Structure formats: structure tokens, C-alpha cells
Amino acid sequence: MSTSPSLFSRNLRKSFPVAVRGEGCWIYTADGRRLLDAAGQAAVVSIGHGVAEIGQAMAEQSSRIAFTHTSQFHSEPAEKLAARLLALAPPNFRDGGRVYFTSGGSEATESAIKLARQFHLEQGDGQRYRVVSRRQSYHGSTMGAMTVSGNLARRVAYQPMLAEWGHVAPCYSYRRPAGKSLSEYGLECASDLDLFLDYNDSGSVAAFAFEPVVGATLGAAVPPDGYAQRIAEICRSRGILLIADEVMSGMGRTGKAFAVAHWNVEPDMILTGKGIASGYAPLGAVIVAPHVVEAFERGSAAFQHGFTYQAHPVTTAAGNAVLDYAERHELFERVVAAGDDLKAQLGRLAAHPNVGDVRGLGLLLGVEFVKDKVTREPFPKEDNIAERVRQAVLEENVLVYPTQGCVDGERGDHVLLAPPFTITREESAIIFRALESAVAKVFGAGRSSHS
Ligand code: PLP
């Protein structure tokens, strides 16, 4: 069966299989295939597919009361989940932090942009409105979120409609200049923010947004120690709020509840989504530090923003049920060992002349392909390598998340791996074998200009 022609699909020239069932790391299709979900779809599914108790918790909440509007009521599941997220967040969020629930990651970014602006207004500083971010980043598809996103391919069609608030250097260790140490490179990338602010009206900057581990755009690029700490210092010293976009890297995905905890960084806001409800419900959140909340309390007390479905009782019930399940099965605790195992297996791919880098943290991993391993030269865009690897992996019944453009927005190919936290050693071995076979099919014995 193919998809209904009534659906405005992501690509009208493609046909999509119909998923009918999921169980653990596996998805079953209407045409009888069984596919290993090595990307958790898009780094979403953390507890695995087909956990019936999540739907039961949602049905129970829905049968009691499915919806109330936040202008009139709060709900028990939303209050409970907010408290649990604050407990998972870094220590600075604990005493007086609050959580703003949305229906996904893009809405979380939008909300954080407006929160940052209004935070400064509440303090009597009407000059600050720009949210600076990084090139080679993705923060969502709505207009504010696109404005801060640096992913060129996703921005290009809408360029004339987007404000220019400024983008600074990403931190992409694999492509650091030759001869530069990791720590030198990290500090140099962080200095780019300082330098940018020196020359670009820092008094109008409300916040800086970054992905602590870059997800789709750079394929799990992890900064060296020191980078995130220096970024936090720069923001603090200049009165700029620090927004950590952990829509992909949060909720246990990198081996800590939030990736900033790897570097003991305490942002002013953390954005989350995806794994927060493991795909069982559309849910996102902005976790807000106490001093930001206090500015509102001292000021107007009213955030001029809102969504009909914010803090929805049924989606937050899903979030609680997902956390209950993860806690009972100690799934966050599995991530480090499962990630090390998968990364070690994938590391064997690096012997191939066209596999340039295998990287990542926990179960957020990336494999980058290059034309020349010595010079790290990427393939031409037209070679469509990432998509061809995806297709070849799919022939082995494994799903990965391909992206092009990691080098300069156009060239550069990688696939992202972000399986459910329940992944077993045997399943990781299947992923490795599928990629090994795909690499052999797409590149043969190797197409390096140095080989
Ligand atoms: N921020 C990051 C880092 C993301 O990876 C994504 C989605 O991929 C988003 C924001 C947008 O989230 P959503 O697609 O749920 O709107």
C-alpha cells in the first residue's frame, strides 16, 4: 500500500511506506517489511516503539478530562511533569525555575525568543531584541526559529522573509584547521561570539541560542571541553541570556539528562522536545531559570504569548508516562554503555577510505563521508551521497537519518544514528553490518583521490 494521495507529503515525488506497528527498535510496514529504527525516526523515539502503557496513560487522562485552556486552568499532569523536568535540569533551575510546555521543538524556540525579549523589557531594557545563534544549526521551522537557524538549505527559500540577527562560528571539531589542538579550536570558536558582539551592537542582543551537541545539521558534532563553558561566560558577562537548544540532545539522549551537564554549564533556558514524550505525543518545553521567572514576577507577571494547546493535559500525561517507563527500566542509565558499544562498532567503518569521521555522544552519533580522507574534501553535492547511503542501508532493512551540507551548507554528507535507548548489542551489530554493506555498495573499495 502506498500513502494516501490526500496527504501533503514531504516530497510529492516520493512514495512512502505505511508504518502499521512498532515494537522496541523495530517498525513494521503494511507491505510486510520489518525495519530497524537506527535513528529513532529523527532522534525522537527514546523508550522504543509500541509501549502500550503510554497510550493507556493518555487514554486515562483523556477520559477524565482531555482539555482545559491554560488561561483558565492548570492540570495535574502538566504540573507534575514540570516539576520532574526542573529536577532533571542543571542545579540553577531547581529553586524557582518554571516550565513552559509547547507542542514541539519549533514552538519551544519561538517561545524562548519571545521570553528573552520580554525578559529584558521587564527589566526596563527595550533595546535588546536580537537572538544571535550559530551557522550550521537548526532550531525549528517556524519563522522565528528559522531566523535563528543557520542551516542554509532549510533557510534559503525563505531568506527574504527572515530577519538577520547574526550567526557566529559553529564548533565543528572534525573540520578544524590543520595543526590546531581541540582545546585551542574550541576556545577560538567561542571567541567568535565575543568578537561578533564587539562589532555588532551587543546592546541590542537579548540572547544567544546554540545546540550543545549539533544534531541534524552537523551530524552529532560534539564541542571540545571548554567551549560551552566559555560561551556561557561570554553571555553572562554581557547580560545576554543563554538558550541551550536540547530538543535533540536532551532527555537522556547523550548520556546525561541534558547535554550541558557534560560541561557543568547552567543556561538561562533549555529547550526540549522529541524524547520528552518519545514520539507518543507532540510535546516540547522551555525550561526557564529562576532569575528569568523573577524578572516577570517583579514586572508585568504576564508573558505576552500563548498557544491553545500549550501544557496540554494529554500530551503532558504522555510525558509523565514516558519518564515513569524510563525510570522503571533505567533507560537513561543504559545510554552511555549502549552508545559506547554502538560507537565502537561503527568505529570499524572508519577503516574505509570514504568514511571520514565517526563521532557523537551517548546515543546521538554521526558518520561523515568524504571523497578524500587526507584532505577531508567532501563529495560534490550532486553525488547525493548521504541519500544514497540511506537507500543502501534501507535495502538492509535499517533506517538512518541522512543530511547534506555539513561542510558549507551545500557539500558534506553524513548520516545520524539515534536509536531508542533500549537498543541491544545484537541490534547495534545489525546497524554496523547494514552500514558496512551500504558503504561497500555506494563507494566500492574506496574512491579516495589518495588511494
Ligand atoms: N531544535 C532542534 C535542535 C531540532 O533538532 C529540532 C528538530 O529537529 C527542532 C528544534 C524543531 O523541533 P520540531 O521539529 O519538534 O518543531
Side-chain angles (χ1 to χ4, degrees):
M1 203 207 311
S2 61
T3 38
S4 153
S6 314
L7 198 58
F8 202 122
S9 56
R10 284 195 175 228
N11 186 327
L12 299 175
R13 290 212 181 83
K14 272 191 190 165
S15 70
F16 294 83
V18 174
V20 289
R21 192 166 74 79
E23 194 181 335
C25 293
W26 298 86
I27 292 176
Y28 297 78
T29 66
D31 57 4
R33 291 182 77 180
R34 179 175 181 260
L35 304 170
L36 177 54
D37 188 7
Q41 292 304 281
V44 175
V45 181
S46 54
I47 64 165
H49 295 279
V51 178
E53 68 185 57
I54 313 302
Q56 283 152 9
M58 293 168 74
E60 214 171 278
Q61 178 60 43
S62 181
S63 63
R64 253 184 281 133
I65 183 152
F67 178 73
T68 48
H69 196 272
T70 44
S71 63
Q72 295 168 52
F73 294 101
H74 281 194
S75 73
E76 284 172 3
E79 285 288 4
K80 183 175 171 189
L81 186 59
R84 294 173 87 176
L85 292 182
L86 290 168
L88 287 172
N92 66 311
F93 286 87
R94 305 277 158 82
D95 206 4
R98 294 202 185 220
V99 176
Y100 193 96
F101 285 112
T102 62
S103 302
S106 301
E107 282 188 8
T109 304
E110 295 295 330
S111 304
I113 291 171
K114 288 169 79 177
L115 252 166
R117 162 69 176 159
Q118 201 179 328
F119 163 79
H120 291 290
L121 277 178
E122 297 290 353
Q123 313 219 96
D125 185 350
Q127 301 301 308
R128 293 187 184 268
Y129 67 96
R130 289 156 64 211
V131 177
V132 174
S133 50
R134 301 189 302 182
R135 298 186 288 278
Q136 303 289 70
S137 61
Y138 181 62
H139 299 289
S141 9
T142 48
M143 295 306 280
M146 281 307 308
T147 298
V148 289
S149 294
N151 183 312
L152 289 182
R154 293 181 185 181
R155 274 175 74 95
V156 66
Y158 309 103
Q159 198 71 42
M161 302 154 80
L162 302 174
E164 282 304 337
W165 289 336
H167 293 89
V168 301
C171 189
Y172 186 6
S173 302
Y174 174 60
R175 293 197 170 276
R176 69 188 181 278
K180 194 143 283 190
S181 76
L182 273 175
S183 61
E184 277 170 351
Y185 175 68
L187 292 178
E188 209 171 277
C189 292
S191 301
D192 196 53
L193 174 60
D194 228 1
L195 212 61
F196 177 88
L197 294 169
D198 281 344
Y199 290 98
N200 289 279
D201 187 17
S202 67
S204 68
V205 177
F208 174 70
F210 81 124
E211 296 165 80
V213 177
V214 184
T217 317
L218 293 185
V222 183
D225 285 345
Y227 171 79
Q229 293 95 319
R230 182 73 194 117
I231 287 286
E233 280 166 17
I234 294 168
C235 290
R236 198 167 308 117
S237 71
R238 291 181 179 262
I240 291 168
L241 295 179
L242 178 61
I243 302 171
D245 181 348
E246 299 237 21
V247 169
M248 196 176 269
S249 61
M251 300 311 291
R253 169 79 37 210
T254 68
K256 303 258 188 203
F258 294 102
V260 284
H262 289 285
W263 304 285
N264 294 319
V265 162
E266 298 189 321
D268 303 298
M269 292 185 227
I270 297 179
L271 314 183
T272 177
K274 295 188 184 267
I276 189 176
S278 190
Y280 286 84
L283 185 62
V286 187
I287 309 175
V288 187
H291 77 101
V292 179
V293 178
E294 282 155 20
F296 281 77
E297 283 169 345
R298 283 194 304 270
S300 73
F303 183 24
Q304 294 302 322
H305 179 66
F307 301 107
T308 297
Y309 292 127
Q310 73 188 59
H312 194 284
V314 177
T315 63
T316 49
N320 279 307
V322 163
L323 267 184
D324 289 343
Y325 186 87
E327 279 170 16
R328 198 158 10 95
H329 296 272
E330 300 186 340
L331 293 185
F332 282 20
E333 291 78 358
R334 282 197 91 242
V335 170
V336 173
D340 284 351
D341 176 53
L342 179 57
K343 197 174 174 188
Q345 301 216 39
L346 296 175
R348 291 156 61 201
L349 295 169
H352 192 281
N354 297 112
V355 175
D357 195 25
V358 175
R359 56 178 172 251
L361 204 52
L363 282 170
L364 188 58
L365 301 173
V367 180
E368 181 168 339
F369 306 102
V370 288
K371 187 169 175 197
D372 187 315
K373 204 157 175 158
V374 176
T375 62
R376 303 183 178 187
E377 181 192 346
F379 285 98
K381 180 176 160 45
E382 314 71 69
D383 284 10
N384 219 7
I385 294 293
E387 173 58 17
R388 282 168 55 201
V389 171
R390 181 194 73 84
Q391 284 172 14
V393 173
L394 185 57
E395 284 166 22
E396 306 295 318
N397 296 320
V398 173
L399 299 157
V400 293
Y401 182 157
T403 304
Q404 252 196 337
C406 52
V407 174
D408 53 13
E410 292 222 320
R411 293 170 317 146
D413 297 86
H414 69 261
V415 294
L416 195 71
L417 297 139
F421 303 170
T422 54
I423 184 122
T424 63
R425 198 155 239 197
E426 294 69 37
E427 288 164 340
S428 286
I430 296 173
I431 296 171
F432 162 70
R433 285 198 299 273
L435 269 161
E436 184 183 45
S437 144
V439 163
K441 266 188 205 160
V442 172
F443 306 112
R447 286 166 48 191
S448 174
S449 24
H450 279 78
S451 60

